[in-house]
Every structure is written in structure tokens, then in C-alpha cells.
């Protein structure tokens, strides 16, 4: 018996990935593990994609509804999309092949707040979950699962699925044991009770995932790494964005609205987020906490240096070098990191009660503070809203960050009207570019517009935006939120027509 499969009954259900994939049929809804390229099944999706491809060669239809925690990797999203095997996908994705097929209209995609997925499934809004395919680090003697490098929606899929396939990945470190906190106190309305979490480091659940052994129809052993790519190091633009935000935090401390330990941090993934975290270290902050979705390189560094005392998340998103560092020092990290289900990590009430500081990227913002974080020119999805909305609407501070231009200056991140709204002006408190920071709290629409133009717009686009706003204030029929409707999206149309928003 494998040392990682201590349950005799489940050890007897070991099989290869091809045999396990044969248990998944056309038209099924499959809940798979995985969140930001961590903890996703590695072998069964590849075997399933091969099976789907063979069916298509015979002219047989074979497509699936695929639900996950967030984005996965080429072995899952990429392989299934390339095989033409996905009919419907939620809640977040980043694979280029999958994205292209969504934008060509070949795959239906539901973009949804990550904090809503588990309850939507529990409410029955997503239909029956036929099969769950979950990666685990090990199976205990009583059948419980030692989770992998992400928790995501795994608890939900295991609870709701009719049948379960477990991939036991020998590459995942056994030192993860004790890092997870799986809360089993949730219930459906009207029987819900308050979640007893008062601090990001609180442990309110169990270190393992429960699963009914009778539902487990296959156990597949693997030995493969998570596919998480390299992150670009902070550049001058991201460092300037970070500098503006850190100085704003200092301003809030002086005003008595924040303490020196700030409030629990949430940050998106990428070089800007890592630059902000580095800026906090360089700014001399200590004793911080994080209540976020993802532990990335910058967060790991802050834990190493004592800047962050404890970090709560639902997944890792580490570069290969940081993965090695994490594994080498996993005993030290175990007391500093808590991995939870995303239904807890992204829970709106907890975010509001803890008072999180939300820091997320954006595609564009408009004059009045509406933010688009998901679409190009209003019609083509990039990845999805992820958890940014969970934190933006409920956080103590809602900050959106972006370079002021993209595509070599051909695109302005500040436009008259966003082409798609993910976060309305009501949920956006602070907008930051390398040009400066706009504090939108307590301002009317026209006041917000003036602050955004003065502080966040690239100098090349500032006269254009100021001209639009002045004419809108003069000629718009309504003066509360002035717009020239024939021109409001003209910058996007000009980009589509010419490749540039420049006049």
C-alpha cells in the first residue's frame, strides 16, 4: 500500500488515469480542484481530454460542464479546451486556449465572484455535481484527505458530488499537514450562524477534508509539480504605484484612520501586487496580517522578514524558486500560513468585519471611479473578476491599481466611460497609477472626476480627458454625472479602428 494512501478500502480503488477518466461521461458537471495554478488534478484531465478527442474523431459528442476554484493550468483547462471538451466553465480562468475559445463563442463562461461559487452550488443554482476530481497530498486511515496546495471549492465539490475521484500527488510536501483549516459550520438559510473567526490567524475548523469513502470511485497516484510561472520583478512603474499607495497608508495613519499595523491585507497576483508588498517592507511596517486569497512570492518574503505575522488564504501562487524556498522551510511557514476554503477566504461578512485593505489590479477606470477589471473593449474576457469584488465591496479600503497606459502608450487606463463595469463607483475608494493616487472617498461624481484627471491620467491623455469632461459638464443634459453619450466610448472605438486611443 502506498504510504500516502492509508485507507485500505481506498487503496484498493487505485487505478490509472485512463481508467478513472472513463468514469466521466458526456454532459456531466465536474467539480475540479485548483486555484491560481495550484492544487489542480494533473493526470485525470489529460486522460479525459484524450478520451474526448477520440470520441470526437468518431463523430460522438462529448462535452462537460467544468467548475473549479479559480484558474488551473494547461493540463486541465488547456487540454480540455483544446480537445473541444468544455461546454460551460466557471468561475475564473487564465489559460490562453480556453480564453480564445470563450471569446470565439465556442464555450459558455460564467464570470462570478469567487466568494459566491460555493453557496451557489449549495443552493442548487449550478445543478447536480456529477463527479468531483480533487488533488490531495495524502489519504488518512479514516478516509479523510490531507489537502494540497490549494483548498478552493474542494470541500463543496466533495460534499455535493455524486462520485469522487482523488488524485494523490506525491510531489506535494507532507509538511502541508496542519496548514489547512476546513470549516464545517456552514449551513443553508435560514439556519446559518455567525462564523467564529475574529483574527486572520484563527483556526476554526479541521486540518483535513471529509469525504464519504463510499463515494470515492477511483484513486490515482501522481508525481507532478504545480504549473505556476515566473513573475516579472517589480519595474519602475510598479514601484511608483507602490510608493503612492504606501504613502497613502502613512497619511491614513497620521489621520488616525489606520494604526501602524494597518488592517488585514488582501492583494491580487502579479508584479504590481508584489511591488506593493515590497514597499510595505521598505516602509518599515511590522506586525501586519493578511486575509487574502493567494500567498504569492511577495507575501512569503514578508513572512520571512517578520513584516507579516500571519497570512490567511485559500491557495499558493508561487514562482518555482519560491516553491523551493517554501518546501525547505515548511515547518516555519506552517504556523504563519492558514489555507481555508474560498467560501471562507472570500466571505463578504468576514472581509467587512475584519476590515480588510483590498488592493487589486484593473484594466481601466473611468472619470467617476467605475472599474473594468475583466474585459478588453467591453466584449472580450481576459480572466474574470476573481475575488476582487468580494473584497472591493466589503473591505475597509478598496484600492485599484494599474499603470496609466498600456500597449506602449496606445491605451489609456483612465477613460471617459469604462467599456465594461465590474466594480461600480460605489465600491471603489482609491485609484492608483504611477502618475499618482486619487482618493475618491466622500466625493461627488464631478469631484471624483477632477481628482482622477489631476492625479492618475498619463500626461499624454490628460488634456483629452479634461476636454471631454469640461464639454460634458457644459453640454450633458444631466449635470450630476456628465457624459457625452456619442463620445463616451469613442476612445475604445478609436483603439479598435486604429490600434491607439490617441486622438
Amino acid at each position: 500500500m502506498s504510504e500516502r494512501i492509508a485507507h485500505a478500502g481506498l487503496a484498493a480503488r487505485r487505478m490509472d488515469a485512463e481508467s478513472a477518466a472513463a468514469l466521466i461521461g458526456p454532459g456531466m458537471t465536474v467539480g475540479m480542484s485548483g486555484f491560481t495554478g495550484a492544487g489542480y488534478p494533473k493526470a485525470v484531465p489529460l486522460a479525459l481530454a484524450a478520451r474526448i478527442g477520440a470520441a470526437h474523431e468518431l463523430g460522438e459528442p462529448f462535452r462537460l460542464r467544468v467548475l473549479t476554484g479559480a484558474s488551473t493550468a494547461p493540463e486541465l483547462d488547456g487540454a480540455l479546451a483544446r480537445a473541444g471538451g468544455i461546454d460551460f466553465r466557471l468561475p475564473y480562468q487564465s489559460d490562453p486556449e480556453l480564453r480564445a475559445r470563450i471569446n470565439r463563442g465556442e464555450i459558455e463562461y460564467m464570470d462570478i465572484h469567487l466568494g459566491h461559487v460555493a453557496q451557489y452550488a449549495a443552493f442548487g443554482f449550478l445543478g447536480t455535481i456529477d463527479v468531483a476530481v480533487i488533488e490531495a497530498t495524502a489519504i488518512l486511515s479514516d478516509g479523510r484527505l490531507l489537502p494540497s496546495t490549494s483548498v478552493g471549492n474542494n470541500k463543496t465539490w466533495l460534499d455535493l458530488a455524486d462520485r469522487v475521484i482523488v488524485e494523490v500527488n506525491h510531489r506535494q510536501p507532507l509538511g502541508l499537514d496542519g496548514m489547512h483549516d476546513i470549516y464545517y459550520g456552514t449551513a443553508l438559510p435560514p439556519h446559518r450562524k455567525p462564523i467564529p473567526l475574529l483574527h486572520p490567524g484563527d483556526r476554526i475548523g479541521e486540518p483535513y477534508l471529509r469525504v464519504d469513502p463510499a463515494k470515492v470511485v477511483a484513486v490515482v497516484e501522481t508525481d507532478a509539480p504545480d504549473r505556476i510561472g515566473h513573475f516579472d520583478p517589480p519595474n519602475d512603474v510598479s514601484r511608483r504605484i507602490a510608493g503612492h499607495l504606501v504613502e497613502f497608508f502613512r497619511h491614513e495613519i497620521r489621520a488616525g484612520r489606520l494604526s501602524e499595523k494597518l488592517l488585514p491585507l488582501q492583494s491580487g497576483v502579479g508584479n504590481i501586487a508584489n511591488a506593493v508588498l515590497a514597499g510595505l517592507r521598505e516602509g518599515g511596517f511590522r506586525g501586519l496580517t493578511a486575509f487574502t486569497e493567494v500567498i504569492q512570492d511577495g507575501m512569503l518574503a514578508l513572512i520571512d522578514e517578520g513584516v507579516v505575522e500571519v497570512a490567511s488564504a485559500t491557495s499558493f501562487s508561487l514562482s518555482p524558486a519560491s516553491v523551493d524556498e517554501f518546501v525547505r522551510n515548511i515547518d516555519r511557514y506552517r504556523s504563519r500560513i492558514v489555507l481555508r476554503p474560498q467560501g471562507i477566504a472570500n466571505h463578504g461578512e468576514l472581509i467587512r468585519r475584519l476590515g480588510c485593505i483590498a488592493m487589486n489590479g484593473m484594466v481601466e477606470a473611468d472619470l467617476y471611479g467605475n472599474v473594468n477589471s475583466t474585459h478588453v473593449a467591453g466584449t472580450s474576457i481576459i480572466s474574470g473578476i476573481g475575488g476582487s469584488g468580494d473584497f472591493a465591496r466589503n473591505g475597509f479600503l478598496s484600492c485599484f491599481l494599474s499603470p496609466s497606459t498600456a500597449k506602449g502608450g496606445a491605451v489609456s487606463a483612465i477613460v471617459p466611460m469604462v467599456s465594461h463595469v465590474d466594480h461600480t463607483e460605489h465600491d471603489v475608494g482609491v485609484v492608483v497609477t504611477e502618475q499618482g493616487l486619487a482618493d475618491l472617498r466622500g466625493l461627488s461624481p464631478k469631484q471624483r472626476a477632477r481628482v482622477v484627471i489631476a492625479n492618475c491620467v498619463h500626461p499624454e491623455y490628460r488634456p483629452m480627458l479634461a476636454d471631454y469632461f469640461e464639454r460634458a459638464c457644459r453640454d450633458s443634459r444631466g449635470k450630476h454625472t456628465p457624459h457625452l453619450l456619442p463620445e463616451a466610448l469613442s476612445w475604445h472605438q478609436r483603439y479598435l479602428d486604429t490600434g491607439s486611443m490617441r486622438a
Side-chain angles (χ1 to χ4, degrees):
M1 184 187 301
S2 167
E3 64 175 3
R4 294 202 179 213
I5 307 173
H7 186 283
L10 297 185
R13 293 174 203 163
R14 285 181 294 174
M15 62 184 70
D16 58 31
E18 290 72 22
S19 299
L23 301 173
I24 300 173
M28 286 187 174
T29 296
V30 184
M32 297 203 186
S33 62
F35 194 107
T36 59
Y40 58 92
K42 313 293 194 291
V44 172
L46 284 172
L48 185 57
R51 180 166 175 250
I52 291 170
H56 289 173
E57 288 182 2
L58 296 174
E60 300 171 359
F62 198 143
R63 303 184 79 195
L64 304 169
R65 291 169 54 87
V66 178
L67 321 179
T68 65
S71 54
T72 62
E75 300 100 310
L76 198 164
D77 277 332
L80 291 176
R82 193 170 294 107
I86 300 178
D87 176 58
F88 176 92
R89 178 74 167 84
L90 70 70
Y92 186 87
Q93 48 73 38
S94 63
D95 184 83
E97 181 70 25
L98 175 59
R99 180 188 304 121
R101 289 174 181 255
I102 291 170
N103 285 323
R104 290 200 300 265
E106 298 171 11
I107 296 173
E108 299 299 329
Y109 172 61
M110 180 180 178
D111 192 16
I112 178 177
H113 298 296
L114 297 188
H116 287 178
V117 179
Q119 68 172 13
Y120 269 41
F123 293 165
F125 295 172
L126 304 178
T128 299
I129 311 297
D130 297 296
V131 182
V133 185
I134 306 297
E135 180 181 89
T137 301
I139 301 177
L140 307 186
S141 60
D142 60 4
R144 290 180 297 168
L145 308 181
L146 170 57
S148 181
T149 43
S150 70
V151 180
N153 285 316
N154 294 357
K155 171 190 174 295
T156 300
W157 306 150
L158 290 170
D159 286 346
L160 298 179
D162 293 335
R163 297 187 292 172
V164 174
I165 296 170
V166 179
E167 282 198 9
V168 177
N169 188 351
H170 289 251
R171 190 72 61 92
Q172 300 291 15
L174 289 170
L176 286 167
D177 195 351
M179 192 172 287
H180 306 86
D181 187 64
I182 314 301
Y183 181 62
Y184 279 94
T186 55
L188 299 181
H191 305 294
R192 282 178 164 172
K193 296 179 181 179
I195 298 171
L197 192 149
L198 304 177
H199 181 273
D202 286 350
R203 293 180 180 272
I204 60 174
E206 307 171 12
Y208 309 113
L209 288 161
R210 302 175 189 172
V211 59
D212 179 358
K215 295 203 303 185
V216 179
V217 295
V219 175
V220 177
E221 294 187 270
T222 65
D223 188 346
D226 289 329
R227 293 284 189 94
I228 300 175
H230 295 273
F231 296 110
D232 293 331
N235 56 25
D236 180 62
V237 169
S238 59
R239 283 191 290 267
R240 287 167 64 187
I241 292 171
H244 295 313
L245 191 57
V246 171
E247 177 53 37
F248 173 71
F249 292 156
R250 287 293 185 199
H251 172 270
E252 292 298 287
I253 292 170
R254 292 191 295 269
R257 291 186 284 266
L258 287 174
S259 74
E260 289 286 345
K261 292 189 176 182
L262 303 179
L263 284 165
L265 304 173
Q266 177 264 336
S267 65
V269 176
N271 66 327
I272 294 179
N274 279 320
V276 171
L277 297 176
L280 292 171
R281 180 183 67 243
E282 295 162 3
F285 289 91
R286 292 292 183 273
L288 306 182
T289 62
F291 190 81
T292 188
E293 302 160 287
V294 173
I295 303 295
Q296 57 183 330
D297 289 18
M299 189 68 72
L300 213 61
L302 295 192
I303 294 171
D304 288 338
E305 298 175 23
V307 178
V308 168
E309 292 182 343
V310 66
S312 169
T314 193
S315 180
F316 290 101
S317 185
L318 302 174
S319 66
S322 290
V323 168
D324 293 340
E325 173 72 14
F326 172 75
V327 173
R328 280 195 303 269
N329 298 287
I330 197 166
D331 291 339
R332 173 158 52 88
Y333 291 125
R334 193 182 301 108
S335 63
R336 302 290 186 185
I337 294 173
V338 186
L339 293 182
R340 311 181 189 279
Q342 72 189 66
I344 300 297
N346 289 71
H347 196 288
E349 191 276 332
L350 294 176
I351 293 165
R352 178 165 294 191
R353 178 150 49 83
L354 294 173
C356 294
I357 296 175
M359 301 175 288
N360 289 287
M362 64 180 185
V363 175
E364 60 185 3
D366 66 24
L367 287 169
Y368 303 113
N370 300 291
V371 166
N372 166 24
S373 61
T374 62
H375 282 70
V376 173
T379 60
S380 296
I381 192 76
I382 301 172
S383 297
I385 194 170
S388 58
D390 298 318
F391 286 89
R393 174 152 290 186
N394 297 292
F396 177 83
L397 275 174
S398 173
C399 309
F400 283 93
L401 325 172
S402 173
S404 63
T405 61
K407 302 291 185 182
V411 172
S412 173
I414 310 297
V415 293
M417 178 185 284
V418 289
S419 59
H420 176 89
V421 180
D422 291 293
H423 312 282
T424 74
E425 60 187 279
H426 312 292
D427 299 329
V428 178
V430 177
V431 174
V432 193
T433 72
E434 83 283 2
Q435 303 298 322
L437 181 147
D439 181 359
L440 309 182
R441 298 170 299 169
L443 302 182
S444 71
K446 292 191 292 293
Q447 290 171 329
R448 290 197 295 269
R450 295 186 180 100
V451 172
V452 168
I453 293 171
N455 294 321
C456 296
V457 184
H458 190 278
E460 184 175 4
Y461 289 96
R462 191 172 295 137
M464 294 170 57
L465 204 55
D467 173 69
Y468 172 87
F469 178 62
E470 290 169 6
R471 290 186 295 110
C473 288
R474 183 188 68 217
D475 300 334
S476 175
R477 181 172 182 177
K479 305 301 182 186
H480 175 63
T481 308
H483 266 304
L484 302 174
L485 294 182
E487 292 186 36
L489 296 175
S490 64
W491 290 29
H492 300 88
Q493 188 61 52
R494 187 160 56 244
Y495 169 72
L496 294 176
D497 292 341
T498 70
S500 174
M501 287 184 175
R502 298 183 181 95

